[in-house]
Amino acid sequence: MKIFTIVGLFSLSLMLMSASNTEDLGVLPSYNLKTIKGQEVDIASFGTNGKPTIIAFWATWCKPCLNELNAIADYYEDWQEDYGVELIAVSLDNQRTAPKVPGVVKSLSWDYEILLDVNGESYRKFNFATPPYLVMVDADGKIVYKHSGYLPGSEDEVEEKLMEITQ
């Protein structure tokens, strides 16, 4: 009889977990970063803009990061049109390598808002170890998706999540 109770409770917990297709991952932490032009921006403000927002953490020395943002660039215009999404690319380059960021962005023709985190505050605030790292926020400012690393095709998973949160 105990085995049936345990199996029943386990089944019930699985059903409850699968009933929620969007896990509550919190909200964007508040801390200031700088734009390429030197203006300070609170990253939490992107959770209050009323549209889905993707925040991609990257670095000029990170090949998978560049591959991810280049792959997203192929879809970004359509995603903006279809889902109203905004993409923020936060460079994790330090003081020594940050001067390369504007040149890399220009050479790759990225049409993203670029922020600089030369002190590595994002690592602590979002609790990740290495880029690439991607966070998606819904129109209400809730974090609905996190992803570490990049493999070709990962952008399809990002689009699926965009579809899910904008329907």
Side-chain angles (χ1 to χ4, degrees):
M1 188 64 166
K2 283 185 180 181
I3 190 77
F4 291 116
T5 304
I6 292 170
V7 170
L9 288 173
F10 180 71
S11 297
L12 179 62
S13 67
L14 283 177
M15 286 182 352
L16 290 173
M17 286 179 1
S18 66
S20 172
N21 59 359
T22 303
E23 186 179 346
D24 182 10
L25 302 172
V27 295
L28 291 177
S30 179
Y31 64 105
N32 290 331
L33 298 175
K34 290 193 176 184
T35 66
I36 289 180
K37 295 176 182 170
Q39 301 162 319
E40 279 204 3
V41 176
D42 184 345
I43 199 163
S45 68
F46 295 105
T48 60
N49 63 9
K51 55 183 152 182
T53 303
I54 298 169
I55 302 174
F57 298 93
W58 69 287
T60 58
W61 45 263
C62 172
K63 186 73 171 165
C65 299
L66 300 175
N67 291 340
E68 177 178 55
L69 287 169
N70 282 332
I72 288 173
D74 293 338
Y75 297 93
Y76 188 51
E77 191 175 315
D78 291 336
W79 288 359
Q80 287 177 305
E81 201 173 293
D82 296 343
Y83 311 114
V85 71
E86 178 176 23
L87 190 134
I88 312 304
V90 178
S91 166
L92 299 168
D93 284 272
N94 61 26
Q95 293 283 355
R96 188 174 52 81
T97 59
K100 296 178 184 177
V101 171
V104 169
V105 170
K106 185 177 181 183
S107 72
L108 296 172
S109 302
W110 289 345
D111 189 25
Y112 310 136
E113 175 79 34
I114 307 295
L115 302 179
L116 304 172
D117 182 3
V118 296
N119 296 321
E121 188 71 14
S122 299
Y123 289 113
R124 293 181 288 284
K125 295 289 187 176
F126 286 92
N127 193 28
F128 68 98
T130 61
Y133 187 73
L134 189 135
V135 174
M136 186 183 303
V137 181
D138 68 11
D140 298 322
K142 295 179 195 151
I143 297 172
V144 295
Y145 178 80
K146 295 179 182 181
H147 183 80
S148 185
Y150 175 74
L151 292 172
S154 293
E155 58 278 2
D156 295 332
E157 186 177 323
V158 172
E159 184 169 18
E160 286 175 23
K161 193 63 175 181
L162 279 170
M163 280 190 274
E164 180 183 315
I165 68 170
T166 56
Q167 290 182 357

